[in-house]
Amino acid sequence: RWLREEAGMVAIFDATNTTKQRRDLVLDRCRRERIKDVIFIESICDDASVVRANIRETKLHMPDYSGIDPNAAHADFLERIRHYEQQYQPVDDDTLSYVKLFNVGEKIVMNKIDKYIPCRIVFFLMNLHTVARPIWFTRHGESVYNVLGKIGGDSVLSPRGEEYAKRLAHWVRDKLDNRSADATATTATTTTTTT
């Protein structure tokens, strides 16, 4: 209804379609509803530490496990996984559009992904994270224009701004504790100098 009557662009049917037969049912229904672009998204995880973290961070908070001992809930969810593994048939029909995510984005395989919205969906999937992680924001260090009371422009850092940049770098290195990280900045002189 949402796609037909409300001009919807994307619908997500979240289900464990672990067999070819189940996926064929989805495709048949979509064809009957005149839905042309169907993308199957398959999440494959064989890293036990990722599975444990995912269960701890997301699954234990599901309504299914409300009021249940966390250890019992964890064991139950692992049993669910074992059940699905027994029937699992990978998405491998190269006539279908699909995305396979391995170990939460460690590796991604795409097939027949084109057009704007499918590509945006893939971009979204590539940037999913299942565990908490820090995101830090900072302004650039003080600029010469800041000292002069000017707004805008592309000024170099003042001596205080350079000191701020050095201290910020030291602080980030301490917080990362030898882990890698990505930094994103605008192309303004003050920002690239600070980062």
Side-chain angles (χ1 to χ4, degrees):
R1 175 180 164 250
W2 181 73
L3 289 169
R4 284 192 317 260
E5 297 172 18
E6 299 181 29
M9 301 288 289
V10 175
I12 298 172
F13 178 61
D14 182 16
T16 47
N17 296 301
T18 54
T19 66
K20 183 179 183 325
Q21 181 182 8
R22 292 280 306 260
R23 292 187 292 272
D24 286 344
L25 289 172
V26 172
L27 282 172
D28 289 343
R29 175 67 188 269
C30 288
R31 287 182 187 121
R32 284 196 313 272
E33 299 292 334
R34 294 187 175 92
I35 298 168
K36 297 179 207 165
D37 297 324
V38 176
I39 302 170
F40 287 97
I41 300 169
E42 184 175 26
S43 179
I44 302 162
C45 189
D46 57 10
D47 182 331
S49 67
V50 173
V51 172
R52 275 193 309 276
N54 183 271
I55 291 171
R56 185 178 56 252
E57 297 293 327
T58 61
K59 307 306 181 195
L60 295 183
H61 304 290
M62 294 169 38
D64 296 9
Y65 297 119
S66 178
I68 295 179
D69 173 67
N71 291 328
H74 187 270
D76 181 74
F77 201 83
L78 287 175
E79 187 56 37
R80 283 188 191 190
I81 291 171
R82 280 190 283 281
H83 170 75
Y84 286 120
E85 285 175 337
Q86 291 172 0
Q87 344 172 2
Y88 170 67
Q89 296 171 324
V91 177
D92 57 6
D93 181 346
D94 287 340
T95 66
L96 299 177
S97 292
Y98 62 79
V99 179
K100 293 183 177 201
L101 300 166
F102 294 85
N103 295 319
V104 197
E106 181 180 283
K107 174 179 160 184
I108 298 175
V109 174
M110 300 175 286
N111 188 65
K112 293 194 178 284
I113 300 296
D114 59 5
K115 301 181 188 164
Y116 178 76
I117 291 179
C119 290
R120 297 302 298 166
I121 291 169
V122 169
F123 178 78
F124 173 78
L125 292 170
M126 291 171 64
N127 289 285
L128 282 178
H129 298 276
T130 59
V131 293
R133 71 213 189 286
I135 299 175
W136 301 315
F137 292 93
T138 183
R139 287 188 43 91
H140 61 75
E142 179 186 72
S143 72
V144 171
Y145 283 5
N146 292 143
V147 173
L148 297 173
K150 291 184 177 182
I151 297 174
D154 193 14
S155 172
V156 297
L157 294 177
S158 71
R160 280 181 12 156
E162 289 176 9
E163 180 61 26
Y164 172 81
K166 289 175 189 170
R167 288 183 184 204
L168 176 64
H170 182 73
W171 183 85
V172 168
R173 274 193 291 276
D174 284 349
K175 294 292 180 190
L176 288 177
D177 194 31
N178 293 323
R179 292 173 290 155
S180 64
D182 295 322
T184 303
T186 67
T187 57
T189 301
T190 50
T191 309
T192 57
T193 308
T194 300
T195 57

